[in-house]
Coordinates of all heavy atoms in Angstrom, one line a residue:
A5 N -80.1 -49.5 166.9 CA -79.6 -48.6 165.9 C -79.9 -49.1 164.5 O -80.2 -48.3 163.6 CB -78.1 -48.4 166.1
I6 N -79.8 -50.4 164.2 CA -80.1 -50.9 162.9 C -81.6 -50.7 162.6 O -81.9 -50.2 161.5 CB -79.7 -52.4 162.8 CG1 -78.2 -52.6 162.9 CG2 -80.3 -53.0 161.6 CD1 -77.8 -54.0 163.1
A7 N -82.4 -50.9 163.6 CA -83.9 -50.7 163.4 C -84.1 -49.2 163.2 O -85.0 -48.9 162.3 CB -84.6 -51.2 164.6
Y8 N -83.5 -48.3 163.9 CA -83.6 -46.9 163.7 C -83.2 -46.5 162.3 O -83.9 -45.7 161.6 CB -82.8 -46.2 164.7 CG -82.7 -44.7 164.6 CD1 -83.9 -43.9 164.7 CD2 -81.6 -44.0 164.2 CE1 -83.8 -42.5 164.6 CE2 -81.5 -42.7 164.1 CZ -82.6 -41.9 164.3 OH -82.6 -40.5 164.1
A9 N -82.1 -47.0 161.8 CA -81.6 -46.7 160.5 C -82.6 -47.1 159.4 O -82.8 -46.4 158.4 CB -80.2 -47.3 160.2
L10 N -83.2 -48.3 159.6 CA -84.1 -48.8 158.6 C -85.5 -48.3 158.6 O -86.2 -48.1 157.6 CB -84.1 -50.3 158.7 CG -82.9 -51.1 158.4 CD1 -83.0 -52.6 158.7 CD2 -82.5 -50.9 156.9
F11 N -86.0 -48.0 159.9 CA -87.4 -47.7 160.0 C -87.7 -46.4 160.7 O -88.9 -46.0 160.9 CB -88.1 -48.8 160.8 CG -87.9 -50.2 160.2 CD1 -87.1 -51.1 160.8 CD2 -88.5 -50.5 159.0 CE1 -86.9 -52.4 160.2 CE2 -88.4 -51.7 158.4 CZ -87.6 -52.7 159.0
G12 N -86.7 -45.6 161.2 CA -86.9 -44.3 161.8 C -87.1 -44.4 163.3 O -87.1 -45.5 163.9
S13 N -87.4 -43.3 163.9 CA -87.6 -43.2 165.3 C -88.8 -44.0 165.9 O -88.8 -44.4 167.1 CB -87.7 -41.8 165.8 OG -88.8 -41.2 165.2
K14 N -89.8 -44.3 165.1 CA -90.9 -45.1 165.5 C -90.5 -46.5 165.9 O -91.2 -47.2 166.6 CB -92.0 -45.1 164.5 CG -92.6 -43.7 164.4 CD -93.9 -43.8 163.5 CE -94.4 -42.4 163.3 NZ -95.6 -42.1 163.9
A15 N -89.3 -47.0 165.4 CA -88.8 -48.3 165.7 C -88.1 -48.4 167.1 O -87.8 -49.5 167.6 CB -87.9 -48.8 164.6
L16 N -87.9 -47.3 167.7 CA -87.2 -47.2 169.0 C -88.1 -47.4 170.1 O -89.3 -46.9 170.1 CB -86.4 -45.9 169.1 CG -85.3 -45.6 168.2 CD1 -84.8 -44.2 168.3 CD2 -84.2 -46.6 168.3
P17 N -87.7 -48.1 171.2 CA -88.6 -48.2 172.4 C -88.7 -47.0 173.2 O -89.6 -46.8 174.0 CB -87.9 -49.4 173.1 CG -86.5 -49.4 172.7 CD -86.5 -48.9 171.3
D18 N -87.7 -46.1 173.0 CA -87.6 -44.8 173.8 C -87.6 -43.6 172.8 O -87.4 -43.8 171.6 CB -86.3 -44.8 174.6 CG -86.3 -45.9 175.6 OD1 -87.3 -46.2 176.3 OD2 -85.2 -46.6 175.7
S19 N -87.8 -42.4 173.3 CA -87.7 -41.2 172.6 C -86.3 -41.0 172.1 O -85.3 -41.5 172.7 CB -88.2 -40.0 173.4 OG -87.3 -39.8 174.4
L20 N -86.1 -40.1 171.2 CA -84.7 -39.7 170.8 C -84.0 -39.1 171.9 O -82.8 -39.3 172.1 CB -84.7 -38.8 169.6 CG -85.2 -39.4 168.3 CD1 -85.2 -38.3 167.2 CD2 -84.2 -40.5 167.9
E21 N -84.7 -38.3 172.8 CA -84.1 -37.7 173.9 C -83.5 -38.7 174.9 O -82.5 -38.5 175.6 CB -85.1 -36.8 174.6 CG -85.4 -35.5 173.9 CD -86.5 -35.7 172.8 OE1 -87.0 -36.8 172.6 OE2 -86.7 -34.8 172.0
D22 N -84.2 -39.9 175.0 CA -83.7 -40.9 175.9 C -82.7 -41.9 175.2 O -82.1 -42.8 175.8 CB -84.9 -41.7 176.4 CG -85.7 -40.9 177.4 OD1 -85.2 -40.0 178.0 OD2 -86.9 -41.2 177.5
T23 N -82.6 -41.8 173.9 CA -81.7 -42.7 173.1 C -80.3 -42.0 172.9 O -79.3 -42.8 172.9 CB -82.4 -43.0 171.7 OG1 -83.6 -43.6 171.9 CG2 -81.5 -43.9 170.9
V24 N -80.3 -40.7 172.8 CA -79.0 -40.1 172.5 C -78.1 -40.3 173.7 O -78.5 -40.5 174.9 CB -79.2 -38.6 172.3 CG1 -79.7 -37.8 173.5 CG2 -77.9 -37.9 171.7
T25 N -76.8 -40.4 173.5 CA -75.8 -40.5 174.6 C -76.0 -39.5 175.6 O -76.2 -38.3 175.3 CB -74.4 -40.4 174.0 OG1 -74.2 -41.5 173.0 CG2 -73.3 -40.6 175.1
W26 N -76.0 -39.9 176.9 CA -76.3 -39.0 178.0 C -75.4 -37.7 177.9 O -74.2 -37.8 177.8 CB -76.1 -39.7 179.3 CG -76.5 -38.9 180.5 CD1 -77.8 -38.8 181.0 CD2 -75.8 -38.0 181.3 NE1 -77.9 -38.0 182.1 CE2 -76.6 -37.4 182.3 CE3 -74.5 -37.6 181.3 CZ2 -76.2 -36.5 183.2 CZ3 -74.0 -36.7 182.3 CH2 -74.9 -36.2 183.2
G27 N -76.0 -36.5 178.0 CA -75.3 -35.3 178.0 C -75.1 -34.7 176.7 O -74.5 -33.6 176.5
K28 N -75.4 -35.4 175.6 CA -75.2 -34.9 174.2 C -76.5 -34.4 173.6 O -77.6 -34.9 174.0 CB -74.7 -36.1 173.3 CG -73.4 -36.8 173.9 CD -72.2 -35.9 173.8 CE -71.0 -36.6 174.2 NZ -69.8 -35.8 174.1
P29 N -76.4 -33.4 172.8 CA -77.6 -32.9 172.1 C -78.2 -33.9 171.2 O -77.5 -34.7 170.5 CB -77.1 -31.7 171.3 CG -75.8 -31.4 171.8 CD -75.2 -32.6 172.4
V30 N -79.6 -33.9 171.1 CA -80.3 -34.9 170.2 C -79.8 -34.8 168.8 O -79.7 -35.8 168.1 CB -81.8 -34.7 170.3 CG1 -82.5 -35.5 169.3 CG2 -82.3 -35.0 171.7
A31 N -79.5 -33.6 168.4 CA -79.1 -33.4 167.0 C -77.8 -34.1 166.6 O -77.5 -34.2 165.4 CB -79.0 -31.9 166.7
T32 N -77.0 -34.5 167.6 CA -75.7 -35.2 167.3 C -75.9 -36.7 167.2 O -74.9 -37.3 166.8 CB -74.7 -34.9 168.5 OG1 -75.2 -35.5 169.7 CG2 -74.5 -33.4 168.6
L33 N -77.1 -37.2 167.4 CA -77.3 -38.7 167.3 C -77.3 -39.0 165.8 O -78.1 -38.4 165.0 CB -78.7 -39.0 167.9 CG -79.0 -40.5 167.9 CD1 -79.9 -40.8 169.1 CD2 -79.8 -40.9 166.7
K34 N -76.5 -39.9 165.4 CA -76.4 -40.3 164.0 C -76.2 -41.8 163.9 O -75.5 -42.4 164.7 CB -75.2 -39.6 163.3 CG -75.2 -38.1 163.4 CD -76.0 -37.5 162.3 CE -75.7 -36.0 162.3 NZ -76.9 -35.2 162.7
V35 N -76.8 -42.4 162.9 CA -76.6 -43.8 162.5 C -76.4 -43.9 161.0 O -77.2 -43.4 160.2 CB -77.7 -44.7 162.9 CG1 -77.5 -46.1 162.5 CG2 -78.0 -44.7 164.4
Y36 N -75.3 -44.4 160.6 CA -75.0 -44.6 159.2 C -75.0 -46.1 159.0 O -74.2 -46.9 159.6 CB -73.6 -44.1 158.8 CG -73.5 -42.6 159.1 CD1 -72.9 -42.2 160.3 CD2 -73.9 -41.6 158.2 CE1 -72.8 -40.8 160.6 CE2 -73.8 -40.3 158.5 CZ -73.2 -39.9 159.7 OH -73.1 -38.5 160.0
L37 N -75.8 -46.6 158.0 CA -75.9 -48.0 157.8 C -75.7 -48.3 156.3 O -76.3 -47.6 155.4 CB -77.3 -48.5 158.2 CG -77.5 -50.0 158.0 CD1 -76.6 -50.8 158.9 CD2 -79.0 -50.3 158.3
T38 N -74.7 -49.1 156.0 CA -74.5 -49.5 154.6 C -74.9 -51.0 154.4 O -74.5 -51.8 155.2 CB -73.0 -49.4 154.3 OG1 -72.5 -48.1 154.6 CG2 -72.7 -49.6 152.8

């Protein structure tokens, strides 16, 4: 999640569809980093 917040979805090993919590819409995936 830290990598995603800093560098975007290209930093993830999986797609957003495979990263979002199971059964939740992709649009609900959020990371807030301060």
